[in-house]
Amino acid sequence: MAILNILQYPDPRLYTVAKPVDNVDAKVKKLIDDMAETMYDAPGIGLAATQVNVHQQIIVIDTSENKKDLQVFINPRINTKVGSQDYEEGCLSVPGVYETVTRADSIVVEALDRNGKPFKIEADGLLAVCIQHEMDHLLGKVFVQYLSPLKQNRIKTKMQKMQRGR
């Protein structure tokens, strides 16, 4: 396994729309393992393939306390959205920035697991927020795009200064 490089906002590659995975093969499984290791190392609770510059519809999530409940979503689709909730979100591609975003309170998602087997899951609370956040990445959207233009510009400037300071 390997730690992958996480793209930092406002990297234009974060706006790339991911393509569906045609075949869950050994290459895809290795990517999933590398993404999981990268997410845990960061540390984070979710990572989309887009964030590691692979533009395929793959998400890894682990919202458990003990970090032993990895969930994999390949080609995820939200079938149902119910209610709304405000949640303070952060993002591995926008380190150090936390802002409140409004998302659906509960969702029903269909996807393929790491073996290419279809499954359906109902999610609410943090898991629902995390799935929606990571699915946005697959659509080429970063959570700061939910914020006002003023906040977006402040965050972009802050991130650019941080990146120059490396």
Side-chain angles (χ1 to χ4, degrees), residues 1-163:
M1 292 198 291
I3 304 291
L4 305 171
N5 183 44
I6 298 173
L7 299 177
Q8 302 289 299
Y9 177 80
D11 191 309
R13 295 171 291 182
L14 288 169
Y15 302 107
T16 305
V17 176
K19 304 230 181 315
V21 174
D22 294 326
N23 182 29
V24 180
D25 55 16
K27 187 177 174 190
V28 168
K29 289 179 182 179
K30 178 174 180 352
L31 174 62
I32 290 165
D33 292 341
D34 290 346
M35 285 174 61
E37 186 175 1
T38 302
M39 175 187 71
Y40 289 130
D41 181 70
I45 60 169
L47 187 68
T50 301
Q51 292 175 271
V52 294
N53 201 28
V54 176
H55 303 288
Q56 292 186 293
Q57 294 178 8
I58 302 170
I59 295 169
V60 295
I61 292 175
D62 189 340
T63 58
S64 69
E65 292 291 321
N66 63 5
K67 302 300 176 207
K68 295 196 184 310
D69 188 24
L70 182 69
Q71 294 179 277
V72 175
F73 298 82
I74 300 171
N75 300 339
R77 295 282 169 265
I78 295 176
N79 292 341
T80 309
K81 290 183 177 185
V82 178
S84 72
Q85 63 178 321
D86 292 338
Y87 216 95
E88 187 176 72
E89 296 185 22
C91 181
L92 295 177
S93 290
V94 195
V97 175
Y98 300 90
E99 293 287 344
T100 300
V101 176
T102 302
R103 297 198 185 266
D105 186 45
S106 72
I107 58 174
V108 176
V109 182
E110 285 187 41
L112 303 177
D113 67 13
R114 73 171 285 122
N115 297 310
K117 188 174 171 236
F119 71 96
K120 186 188 239 180
I121 184 175
E122 279 187 50
D124 57 16
L126 178 59
L127 180 58
V129 168
C130 194
I131 292 169
Q132 291 171 86
H133 175 110
E134 300 307 334
M135 285 184 69
D136 274 353
H137 281 298
L138 300 181
L139 298 171
K141 189 169 186 175
V142 181
F143 89 104
V144 297
Q145 292 175 265
Y146 287 97
L147 308 175
S148 71
L150 178 65
K151 277 190 177 178
Q152 286 183 49
N153 283 332
R154 281 189 188 148
I155 292 167
K156 184 185 275 187
T157 301
K158 176 182 176 180
M159 295 301 299
Q160 288 168 331
K161 281 181 184 173
M162 269 178 43
Q163 290 163 17

